[in-house]
Amino acid sequence: MSMKLYCFGESGNAYKAALTLTLAGADWDPVFVDFFNGEARSDTFRQINPMGEVPVLVDGDLTLTQSGAIQQYVADQTGKLGGAPEDKYEVLRWVLWDNHKMSSQAGVTRFLLNFLPEEKRPQEAIKFLQGRLAAAYPVLDGALEGRDWLVGDHITIADIACCGYLFFDEPFGFERKEHKNIDAWLTRISQQPGWKHPYDLMQRGLAG
């Protein structure tokens, strides 16, 4: 039986889970969640995830939420993308760094700038979040200096976590050309067998 991933195309956190499943060669199917029409906050969906969020992975009797936990589960189940045993905590360190320093800022900033009417966009909040992101990008870029991957010699869930929002086309303050190491790293990720853009892996909630 294939795993099911509750997701929608605009979600960078769902993309982390979907890309991990894909690059690990897992058998999975996307289940579209109509986020923009409130499905994630419906009583029906909250029976699946009381947090009212995507992604949610269902594998038989297991229901798992939070992208980092899903990534680790997929790595454990498939034996792929987890890195060498001695690198376990370094991989985890980057997954947690991304969740705190990158994705939490990028996801909100991108939402405010692209999915809210212009007159409702809180400019001071956007400015603050973009400042936080401006401090995070050099950390990631510096970690990739002279390296192909964040941890070890092969792509891991650390890389997939940290790239989760950086392949989206909607503007939120990230410019690939300004960060040469990140730019080259994103190219390497996109060259992995099976890689797909988020909108090719998952159904979009809004028309492109």
Side-chain angles (χ1 to χ4, degrees):
M1 181 183 298
S2 64
M3 304 182 200
K4 297 187 182 301
L5 183 71
Y6 289 80
C7 57
F8 64 98
E10 287 86 353
S11 169
N13 287 318
Y15 182 53
K16 299 174 199 178
L19 188 59
T20 299
L21 286 159
T22 299
L23 297 187
D27 183 12
W28 72 284
D29 294 308
V31 179
F32 174 66
V33 177
D34 193 357
F35 173 84
F36 292 103
N37 284 311
E39 184 180 354
R41 290 171 289 282
S42 68
D43 291 341
T44 299
F45 185 80
R46 285 186 184 274
Q47 292 179 18
I48 301 169
N49 183 9
M51 297 177 183
E53 300 172 341
V54 300
V56 182
L57 183 73
V58 177
D59 185 16
D61 294 332
L62 174 73
T63 298
L64 192 60
T65 69
Q66 300 300 310
S67 60
I70 292 170
Q71 287 187 284
Q72 187 63 58
Y73 177 77
V74 173
D76 290 342
Q77 293 298 113
T78 64
K80 299 177 181 177
L81 303 174
E86 63 270 21
D87 291 332
K88 176 180 179 179
Y89 295 111
E90 184 67 4
V91 171
L92 176 62
R93 186 173 76 92
W94 278 106
V95 171
L96 294 175
W97 178 86
D98 165 74
N99 286 185
H100 181 56
K101 297 292 189 180
M102 282 268 291
S103 288
S104 57
Q105 327 293 336
V108 176
T109 307
R110 181 168 155 267
F111 179 83
L112 296 177
L113 279 172
N114 296 279
F115 305 124
L116 280 185
E118 187 171 358
E119 67 274 11
K120 293 185 178 180
R121 296 172 188 170
Q123 296 303 320
E124 288 302 314
I126 291 169
K127 182 179 178 181
F128 172 78
L129 290 165
Q130 287 183 323
R132 299 270 291 182
L133 285 167
Y137 299 141
V139 173
L140 180 61
D141 198 72
L144 290 164
E145 181 68 36
R147 302 183 57 84
D148 286 345
W149 309 108
L150 283 170
V151 183
D153 297 326
H154 303 282
I155 187 173
T156 68
I157 58 174
D159 300 288
I160 299 171
C162 290
C163 81
Y165 277 93
L166 304 185
F167 281 111
F168 285 96
D169 301 320
E170 298 91 356
F172 61 91
F174 172 69
E175 297 291 340
R176 280 181 64 160
K177 65 180 180 293
E178 295 177 0
H179 310 282
K180 64 180 181 65
N181 297 322
I182 295 176
D183 184 30
W185 168 73
L186 291 174
T187 297
R188 284 190 292 275
I189 294 172
S190 69
Q191 291 172 340
Q192 297 300 296
W195 179 89
K196 290 184 179 180
H197 186 277
Y199 294 149
D200 294 324
L201 272 182
M202 304 173 293
Q203 181 181 335
R204 297 182 66 167
L206 299 173

